[in-house]
Amino acid sequence: MHNQVVIIGGGPSGTLLALILSKANIDVLVLERMTKEYVLSRIRAGVLEWNTVDMLMKNGVGKRMSAEGQVHEGTFLSSSNKQFRIDFKNTINKQVMVYGQTEVTFDLYKELEKHKVKIIHEVNDVEIKDLTKETSFVSFKDKDGKPNIVKSKFIIGCDGFHGVSRSHIPTKKLKIFEKVYPFGWLGVLSETPPVSHELIYANHSRGFALASMRNENLSRYYIQVPNSDKIENWSDDNFWEELKLRLPTEASDTLITGPSIEKSIAPLRSFVSEPMRWGNLFLAGDASHIVPPTGAKGLNLAVSDIHYLSEGLITFFKNNDDQLLNTYSEKALLRVWKGIRFSWWMTTLMHNFPNQDEFDRKIQLAELEYLSNSIEAQKSFSENYVGLPY
Ligand code: RFL
Ligand code: PHB
């Protein structure tokens, strides 16, 4: 087999890149470790920046999102059970789209099928060779264990945090920046009407809570839990009880509870590996960087990487010009670090840290009080939350 581009990983970054390249008549192959059903059943992000919305629309995958997604012009933050609103529309005249990553991925797979893009599922033992030669190779085993080898000009690592691509950059060339937080998020999906028409990010002395949603009868809630906690420790009743204690009073008074249809714990981490390119290998999305979900930035950063990378690849194949590819890592990382900063800031502001003393707590409360009253602070929040320009 021979392709111009081989993409490892069929998550949102891999499939979006595959779609953009195939629309530009670039020959592309996607290799995905899991089944399509598994990939499409993962519950993850919920909030899309307007840049992401534009990218999806521009590439023909925005129709169902426009019909079924919810446009949000603001969000609530809460401090000690009292909420205040940050208005994106009034502060910076922008908005976000609430539309699940599960739906985005479904739409992308549908469009890829329409364009007959090659995706091989259930691949194993992916290995990359000759990254610094003119042409590179990817070897893998298909679902029947049969070995395959593919020749390719470029290989794109879109295989998430636990993927294999990043490890092909020599350790002495790779710089890792990492912060692991001493807590995780316990998330619950339930077929109940959302407690609020906009998201609520709640700071509480018992720990952080988030009220989010997927549609008018599907709610997504999270609470901060210690890293050592286990799903088995949380019955639905315990979860609802704890959530009510942390949400602002006007929300907890009206919260409608029901059985959970999904429950999981996600650890929180900030992580960046630099550079995002080695020879013919380019990394994008979670393969190169991870943010704690507090700022809703992970999926959106993956999409901005794909914006820069797809421009570089198209310019290379159309005009034989590698200038944009050569600046990809530098350009993408500039935006990534701003997302890393905002996610870290919002995580630090909203969570209860195990070693937090009274001084730290007072600082958090003062910052939330400032944010609730200062239009300038709200502007800065809005600008980052709806997404910085590409
Ligand atoms: P993904 O989605 O992890 O996809 C990587 C794909 O690569 C496959 N793979 C391999 N394939 C072949 N060979 C191998 N060796 C492979 N190893 C792995 C995997 O099976 C998978 O299909 O990475 P991608 O495409 O870069 O997308 C990144 C986003 O998924 C991620 O940033 C977001 O989900 C993060 N995130 C959120 N982001 C937001 O923008 N807003 C949010 O509200 C938000 N909430 C969240 C989140 C992530 C969460 N978790 C559990 C990680 C909430 C949660 C709970
Ligand atoms: C979600 O709906 O899953 C969600 C929303 C906002 C976040 C994180 C997750 O910041």
Side-chain angles (χ1 to χ4, degrees):
M1 281 196 274
H2 182 202
N3 290 270
Q4 288 169 300
V5 176
V6 172
I7 298 172
I8 304 171
S13 53
T15 50
L16 178 60
L17 180 63
L19 179 63
I20 299 173
L21 297 184
S22 81
K23 284 170 89 127
N25 294 319
I26 294 167
D27 185 28
V28 51
L29 169 70
V30 182
L31 301 175
E32 165 59 50
R33 189 163 50 102
M34 310 305 283
T35 63
K36 183 173 160 191
E37 293 67 34
Y38 181 88
V39 172
L40 294 180
S41 68
R42 285 194 291 234
I43 312 283
R44 285 185 170 181
V47 177
L48 309 181
E49 295 177 352
W50 215 259
N51 296 312
T52 301
V53 171
D54 281 341
M55 278 282 280
L56 296 173
M57 301 252 208
K58 208 169 72 187
N59 290 293
V61 273
K63 209 163 159 212
R64 201 166 66 95
M65 173 181 66
S66 302
E68 295 176 20
Q70 298 176 23
V71 174
H72 283 204
E73 296 184 352
T75 189
F76 292 101
L77 264 62
S78 130
S79 173
S80 310
N81 301 103
K82 281 202 299 288
Q83 71 179 39
F84 62 94
R85 182 166 182 267
I86 296 186
D87 190 321
F88 313 140
K89 192 83 185 166
N90 275 350
T91 49
I92 58 160
N93 199 26
K94 293 208 170 122
Q95 51 208 10
V96 293
M97 176 75 85
V98 173
Y99 188 64
Q101 179 170 331
T102 317
E103 309 307 321
V104 173
T105 315
F106 179 89
D107 296 345
L108 282 164
Y109 268 87
K110 211 150 176 223
E111 200 61 21
L112 287 178
E113 263 167 37
K114 222 163 84 185
H115 289 265
K116 301 198 165 34
V117 178
K118 291 166 282 179
I119 307 186
I120 307 180
H121 283 276
E122 297 178 76
V123 300
N124 271 306
D125 300 340
V126 172
E127 282 178 32
I128 312 172
K129 289 186 191 82
D130 294 346
L131 278 174
T132 50
K133 301 215 172 118
E134 180 61 24
T135 332
S136 302
F137 293 89
V138 183
S139 64
F140 64 94
K141 289 204 181 105
D142 67 16
K143 68 178 191 321
D144 303 317
K146 195 173 135 251
N148 286 269
I149 189 146
V150 189
K151 201 163 141 191
S152 188
K153 176 68 194 145
F154 295 118
I155 293 153
I156 319 295
C158 291
D159 47 353
F161 183 63
H162 300 288
V164 292
S165 307
R166 193 174 61 244
S167 65
H168 286 81
I169 303 184
T171 15
K172 57 179 186 305
K173 300 280 174 195
L174 201 67
K175 182 113 177 78
I176 303 284
F177 304 85
E178 188 170 30
K179 185 173 277 295
V180 177
Y181 300 87
F183 40 73
W185 279 17
L186 167 63
V188 157
L189 192 67
S190 76
E191 285 169 328
T192 50
V195 68
S196 160
H197 69 288
E198 287 173 349
L199 274 68
I200 307 171
Y201 290 89
N203 170 301
H204 195 277
S205 54
R206 296 182 67 88
F208 170 78
L210 168 61
S212 182
M213 65 206 69
R214 292 295 177 269
N215 60 46
E216 57 285 349
N217 199 39
L218 195 56
S219 299
R220 182 72 166 155
Y221 297 107
Y222 298 94
I223 56 171
Q224 171 189 348
V225 293
N227 269 339
S228 54
D229 219 335
K230 299 259 174 311
I231 287 292
E232 306 81 78
N233 299 341
W234 288 92
S235 67
D236 286 358
D237 285 349
N238 287 346
F239 177 84
W240 294 121
E241 201 179 306
E242 188 60 35
L243 180 69
K244 276 187 188 176
L245 291 172
R246 299 183 189 189
L247 287 177
T249 316
E250 39 196 307
S252 47
D253 283 351
T254 58
L255 179 75
I256 298 175
T257 64
S260 64
I261 57 170
E262 195 262 359
K263 205 188 268 169
S264 52
I265 295 183
L268 263 63
R269 161 194 324 262
S270 301
F271 174 94
V272 185
S273 85
E274 296 186 1
M276 293 172 73
R277 179 203 188 159
W278 171 250
N280 295 336
L281 172 71
F282 292 82
L283 301 181
D286 279 16
S288 173
H289 42 77
I290 295 281
V291 285
T294 329
K297 287 281 159 267
L299 171 62
N300 294 300
L301 288 176
V303 172
S304 68
D305 288 351
I306 297 305
H307 164 78
Y308 297 123
L309 185 54
S310 59
E311 276 188 350
L313 290 166
I314 291 172
T315 311
F316 177 85
F317 285 113
K318 296 281 168 267
N319 308 336
N320 202 19
D321 174 354
D322 62 3
Q323 206 209 318
L324 288 178
L325 279 183
N326 292 340
T327 53
Y328 163 70
S329 175
E330 201 184 315
K331 237 200 246 169
L333 281 167
L334 271 182
R335 193 172 189 282
V336 163
W337 272 107
K338 290 175 204 154
I340 293 275
R341 185 208 69 84
F342 179 68
S343 305
W344 159 83
W345 170 79
M346 207 171 154
T347 302
T348 310
L349 176 66
M350 300 307 290
H351 289 75
N352 190 269
F353 285 72
N355 298 325
Q356 187 169 315
D357 60 20
E358 283 181 37
F359 178 87
D360 300 328
R361 179 81 192 126
K362 283 283 190 187
I363 292 290
Q364 276 188 338
L365 295 175
E367 186 150 11
L368 282 159
E369 168 72 11
Y370 169 59
L371 196 53
S372 73
N373 285 309
S374 160
I375 195 77
E376 300 305 328
Q378 293 181 5
K379 261 190 194 168
S380 168
F381 180 95
S382 298
E383 191 186 22
N384 282 281
Y385 191 86
V386 308
L388 296 169
Y390 285 172

